[in-house]
Amino acid sequence: KKGILIIGAGGVSRVATVKCAMNIDTFEKITLASRTLSKCEAIAEDIKKNQKVDIDVAQVDADSVEELVSLIKKVNPKVVLNVALPYQDLTIMDACSKCKVDYVDTANYEHPDVAKFEYKEQWARDNQFKEAGIMGLLGSGFDPGVTGVFCAYAQQNLFDEIHYIDIMDCNAGDHGYAFATNFNPEINLREVSANGRYWENGQWIETKPLEIKVEHDYPEVGVKPSYLLYHEELESLSKNIKGLKRIRFFMTFGDSYIQHMNCLQNVGMLGIEPVMHKGVEIIPIEFLTTLLPDPASLGQRTVGKTNIGCIIEGIKDGKKKKVYIYNVCDHQECFKETGAQAVSYTTGVPAMIGSKMLYKGIWKGKGVFNIEEFEAKPFMDELMTQGLPWKILELE
Ligand code: NDP
């Protein structure tokens, strides 16, 4: 086995593929496969021009285990990186276990017909992965991904006990449109319009969509309204960070975004059930996705910064301690380097780093794992040199 097979050719894939090409000494050989071959070819052409690295391309329908198995057998890679959509997680995982190849992804499985995401079905493949003698690394993006690594780093190096974690996700980028989403609109709008949820004292507490709002001061960005959302890393971190009392997730949204989303919600445009329109069956949110700007096209016009991090409180040497670990990314710098904006960048870089941890055997295991289950230091070191440097502030 040799090389990495990357599946999906959207914004995140563009960044992950460019970053793998920058690390070609590690990955040896790169194959990029997706539903639309021309998107793979466009990324490969840019990489050939800018980095002088050759990338193989292939067409695949990742909803079909059969097609995936024949592609994986042909390419014979050491690692498969799934940066298609969450709907493809299970088929790609099953194909990897059939072919006995390690698996990495950035988002947990979501059923196309039910707006609910959870790790259940991916964790249920643990035995299947153990039997195949392979490793699956789930959620190696930024959130989930780097946020889990920050928490693991704090647990392993900064605290004796961690009690409270707030994950703070700020995108202060401005693309100049009244309304657009920075990544796949369907996934984004389903996440934001769902009920909020956080974990406290062993229980899940549900809130109405966007019910809890705080004004938070993001270092190097400023004060931004931030809303409590359910986010998938809460499920694994509440299990894996021992002694935890509460974990929450907040994300910033501008007023214009919220107004548009509420309006679209009220008129039924976020619906995931088919409706009949002039004799044709359409799914409202899919039609909306067709109308909205392609997230990949936002890169060029987006200016401003992102700041994603974790505020962690607990005890060290008998004393109370609170730290803020975060990364700041600049949309235009990301675009200059990879041709994609910071939301794709902050996901694609950790997808490459997670794949590198497996490829080089720095992280080893048989079964299905979340990112915080490993030693964080080598991943943190890679973040520093691969474009996502982090800082730690000690808070009062
Ligand atoms: P895009 O929609 O830009 O790209 C998705 C790609 O997957 C497209 O190239 C699409 O093909 C391809 N694809 C979809 N269905 C299939 C299929 N059946 N077979 C083969 N290829 C398929 O999404 P992003 O790049 O923004 O996001 C990629 C992933 O990253 C998503 O899972 C998303 O949830 C996750 N993500 C994770 C974050 C994190 O921090 N952890 C943050 C942001 C995103 P086509 O071009 O033909 O449509």
Side-chain angles (χ1 to χ4, degrees), residues 7-14 33-37 39 59-64 68 82-89 92 105-108 110 139-146 169 182-185 187 231-232 294-296 308 343-344 346-347 350:
I7 300 179
V12 173
S13 167
R14 166 173 282 276
S34 190
R35 181 165 56 188
T36 313
L37 186 66
K39 292 198 187 175
Q59 199 275 330
V60 73
D61 176 5
D63 289 322
S64 154
L68 286 163
N82 166 18
V83 278
L85 294 177
Y87 314 132
Q88 281 84 46
D89 285 3
I92 301 179
D105 70 25
T106 68
N108 69 12
E110 203 172 332
S140 187
F142 206 106
D143 43 347
V146 177
D169 179 338
N182 285 296
F183 60 97
N184 185 283
I187 309 280
H231 220 245
E232 59 198 62
D294 175 2
I308 318 174
V343 176
S344 302
T346 52
T347 312

Side-chain angles (χ1 to χ4, degrees), residues 16-60:
T17 312
V18 167
K19 288 289 175 176
C20 285
M22 285 178 182
N23 288 266
I24 191 71
D25 288 354
T26 296
F27 292 107
E28 304 172 280
K29 180 172 168 284
I30 302 166
T31 307
L32 176 58
S34 190
R35 181 165 56 188
T36 313
L37 186 66
S38 60
K39 292 198 187 175
C40 304
E41 287 167 344
I43 295 172
E45 261 169 45
D46 286 353
I47 291 175
K48 176 78 180 159
K49 193 169 80 197
N50 301 329
Q51 298 169 257
K52 318 276 177 277
V53 174
D54 286 307
I55 308 246
D56 290 341
V57 293
Q59 199 275 330
V60 73

Side-chain angles (χ1 to χ4, degrees), residues 232-249:
E232 59 198 62
E233 66 263 51
L234 302 184
E235 189 184 3
S236 69
L237 287 168
S238 61
K239 280 202 169 71
N240 291 329
I241 303 293
K242 300 292 168 229
L244 194 63
K245 295 182 179 168
R246 187 186 68 205
I247 181 164
R248 304 181 296 187
F249 181 96

